[in-house]
């Protein structure tokens, strides 16, 4: 793990109309770091990671990803999206394309690889996420856990430097959560830079390097999993942890 | 309080014996009232069928139809140029066969659709030339040959077939119209085009051009650029607020006043442009419905992958949006086909126009019922063909539904 930050966020603000969603978020992420972002719903954590690949626009502050600053320049946005993969809560696979087509679309049309190369990589990735036999199926024919694993493979196929996970297990049945988390753990161990919005505290404890607790659009507390779980400093963090860990 | 049965048996669903007797008893003669209704309705139905058959076989005088079959089918289009229509038909057969063969795995329906179109057209041509059965066979043979060729060499033939399809529409115009005075394909001016030939040409060109324009208008209406959005909304709302007949009359009567002296636009072109403009506005609204049915996450996933706006539309949003509105679009195509009959009001001799001129002939006075029943049948065959093809297409594209 090197020390130069690959993502720099300085004083990021965002408003939805009059509603101040993000109120000055600062975060630096080093290459290879695994960051877990947690907090109550409506705290702006999803909005924040969606700002990193410009699915949402921040109105004040700076976001610099891999040396490129996000601005209105479309070329910058395209360049950053090439390097940042994203996995959504609702999977968002393309239902009219097969699993293989879902995975190879980006590499073929954005990375401009030829079809053979893209498919070879897709098969490797499907093996890595444990479902090589599903390549020819459509997303609708897969279980939720399988769909989310395809979504991870789709994001990885672009060979991104950074992966964003927006509550990747929140729409899954308990028994499928495990299979997705295993893939994510393996990915974290492989040295991928990851920002994960999740309530899976077991996952956070196992793989996170740094945890950020969001509330009302601000980072309330940050630290290693041990610090945050065993020795939280802020009352709000204590309250939230006691609520989600008590059942 | 009900108690749960402790039985762990897995029970088969209760069976219902289906016999004709049982069915009759249950559905038609279940009670005294049912029996009375069945008898009344049954008698009415038998009477109705009797009256219709009697009219068709005895009362009706079909001379107004059978004497003028050529007129209904192609208007005044000269017989010396019939070979051009046949050539186009055979080419259409080949294309249909190829498409069927190549895309069978992915969209068997495309082949079916085209085959049905060819068969319907061939049926029409057989009426046109009663002795033309061998040409009909030729169209089918070519279609079947194309099917096997396409199945054998799908990859090799994909591109040529695609190019041929794109070239087909211009070729239709070129061959039906012809060029020059003499030569092997002399000009046939549009005032000689008529009957079903004209109706179909209006409908096909209306569909082929209004569809992309409608998609662009729908995208324009959703655009973030204010000028583009305003223009699209203005166009759509203006055109939708006006009946098609008005547009046709404007095209035929008012346009000449605005054009400089000596410049005139062909009447058929004016009519087809009015139809395209009209249909495009409605198409735009239907497509917009499809665009709005696509969850936001689809666009976000495409963005996150780094696809450009254009790629996002063509690979992700439009394929799903258009598939969602196939039934509506086909309904609109059918409507458009029947709406072409309005051109008769501005003096073009399409199916309805030619019927009116036949009926103006003193020999066929009072034969409205026969003539209109006949052209109604033609409209029905084509409309039902489209409807059937669309349901096949929906089934074929149903794979992988969300």
């Amino acid at each position: 793990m090197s020390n130069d930050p690959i993502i720099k966020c300085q004083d990021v603000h965002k408003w939805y109309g009059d509603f101040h969603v993000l109120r000055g978020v600062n975060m630096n992420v080093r290459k290879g770091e695994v960051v877990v972002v947690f907090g109550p719903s409506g705290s702006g954590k999803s909005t924040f990671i969606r700002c990193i690949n410009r699915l949402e626009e921040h109105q004040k502050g700076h976001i610099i990803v891999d040396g490129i600053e996000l601005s209105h320049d479309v070329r910058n946005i395209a360049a950053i999206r090439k390097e940042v993969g994203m996995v959504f809560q609702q999977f968002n696979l393309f239902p009219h394309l097969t699993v293989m087509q879902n995975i190879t679309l980006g590499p073929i049309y954005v990375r401009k690889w030829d079809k053979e190369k893209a498919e070879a990589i897709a098969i490797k990735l499907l093996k890595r996420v444990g479902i090589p036999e599903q390549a020819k199926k459509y997303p609708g024919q897969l279980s939720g856990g399988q769909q989310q694993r395809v979504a991870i493979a789709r994001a990885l196929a672009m060979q991104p430097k950074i992966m964003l996970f927006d509550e990747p297990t929140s729409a899954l049945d308990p028994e499928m959560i495990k299979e997705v988390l295993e893939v994510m753990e393996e990915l974290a161990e492989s040295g991928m830079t990851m920002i994960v919005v999740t309530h899976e505290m077991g996952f956070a404890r196992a793989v996170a390097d740094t945890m950020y607790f969001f509330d009302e659009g601000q980072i309330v507390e940050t630290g290693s999993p041990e610090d945050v779980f065993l020795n939280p400093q802020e009352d709000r963090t204590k309250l939230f942890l006691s609520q989600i860990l008590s059942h | 309080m009900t108690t749960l049965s402790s039985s762990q048996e897995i029970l088969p669903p209760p069976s219902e014996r289906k016999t004709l007797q049982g069915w009759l008893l249950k559905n038609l003669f279940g009670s005294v009232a049912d029996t009375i209704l069945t008898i009344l309705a049954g008698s009415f139905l038998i009477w109705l069928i009797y009256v219709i058959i009697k009219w068709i076989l005895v009362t009706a005088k079909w001379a107004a139809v059978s004497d003028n079959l050529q007129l209904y089918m192609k208007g005044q289009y000269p017989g010396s140029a019939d070979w051009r229509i046949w050539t186009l038909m055979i080419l259409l057969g080949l294309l249909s066969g190829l498409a069927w063969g190549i895309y069978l795995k992915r969209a068997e329906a495309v082949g079916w659709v085209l085959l049905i179109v060819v068969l319907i057209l061939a049926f029409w041509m057989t009426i046109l030339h009663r002795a033309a059965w061998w040409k009909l066979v030729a169209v089918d043979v070519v279609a079947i040959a194309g099917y096997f060729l396409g199945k054998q060499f799908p990859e090799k033939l994909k591109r040529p077939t695609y190019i041929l399809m794109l070239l087909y529409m211009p070729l239709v115009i070129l061959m039906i119209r012809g060029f020059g005075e003499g030569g092997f394909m002399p000009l046939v001016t549009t005032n000689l085009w008529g009957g079903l030939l004209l109706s179909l040409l209006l409908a096909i060109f209306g569909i082929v051009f209004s569809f992309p324009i409608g998609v662009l208008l729908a995208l324009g209406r959703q655009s973030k650029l204010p000028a583009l959005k305003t223009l699209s909304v203005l166009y759509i709302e203006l055109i939708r607020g006006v009946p098609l007949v008005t547009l046709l009359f404007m095209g035929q009567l008012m346009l000449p006043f605005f054009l400089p002296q000596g410049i005139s636009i062909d009447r058929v072109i004016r009519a087809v442009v009015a139809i395209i403009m009209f249909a495009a506005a409605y198409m735009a609204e239907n497509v917009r419905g499809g665009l709005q049915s696509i969850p936001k996450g689809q666009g976000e996933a495409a963005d996150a992958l780094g696809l450009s706006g254009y790629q996002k539309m063509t690979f992700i949003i439009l394929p799903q949006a258009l598939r969602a509105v196939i039934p509506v679009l086909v309904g609109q195509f059918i409507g458009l086909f029947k709406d072409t009959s309005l051109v008769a009001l501005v003096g073009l001799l399409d199916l309805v126009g030619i019927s009116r001129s036949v009926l103006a002939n003193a020999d066929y006075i009072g034969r409205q019922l026969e003539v209109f029943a006949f052209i109604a049948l033609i409209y029905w065959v084509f409309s039902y063909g489209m409807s059937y093809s669309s349901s096949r297409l929906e089934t074929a594209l149903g794979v992988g539904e969300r």
Side-chain angles (χ1 to χ4, degrees), chain B residues 242-256:
Chain B
V242 176
L244 177 56
V245 187
T246 337
L247 285 181
L248 287 170
F249 271 113
M250 280 204 271
Q252 300 296 327
L253 304 174
M254 283 169 60
L255 197 61

Side-chain angles (χ1 to χ4, degrees), chain A residues 113-198:
Chain A
W113 293 344
D114 54 43
K115 203 176 163 197
E116 286 71 34
K117 182 179 175 193
E119 288 191 343
I121 287 173
I123 287 169
K124 248 187 230 166
L125 284 168
L126 281 174
K127 276 186 194 144
R128 187 168 169 193
V129 299
I131 39 174
E133 69 286 356
Q134 312 288 7
K136 287 188 179 142
K137 289 196 183 163
Y138 287 90
Q141 296 164 297
L142 305 181
S143 74
Q146 290 172 328
Q147 290 193 41
Q148 193 61 299
R149 285 188 279 164
V150 172
I152 294 173
R154 177 176 71 178
L156 289 177
M158 287 290 290
Q159 303 199 329
K161 294 181 178 156
I162 298 157
M163 286 284 285
L164 307 174
F165 291 85
D166 187 3
E167 303 204 29
T169 55
S170 301
L172 293 174
D173 291 341
E175 44 188 316
M176 293 171 181
I177 290 177
K178 193 169 157 267
E179 62 189 47
V180 171
L181 289 180
E182 278 169 3
V183 171
M184 289 169 60
E185 278 167 27
E186 186 267 326
L187 192 61
E189 280 155 21
S190 76
M192 175 66 77
T193 311
M194 293 163 68
I195 301 185
V196 185
V197 173
T198 186

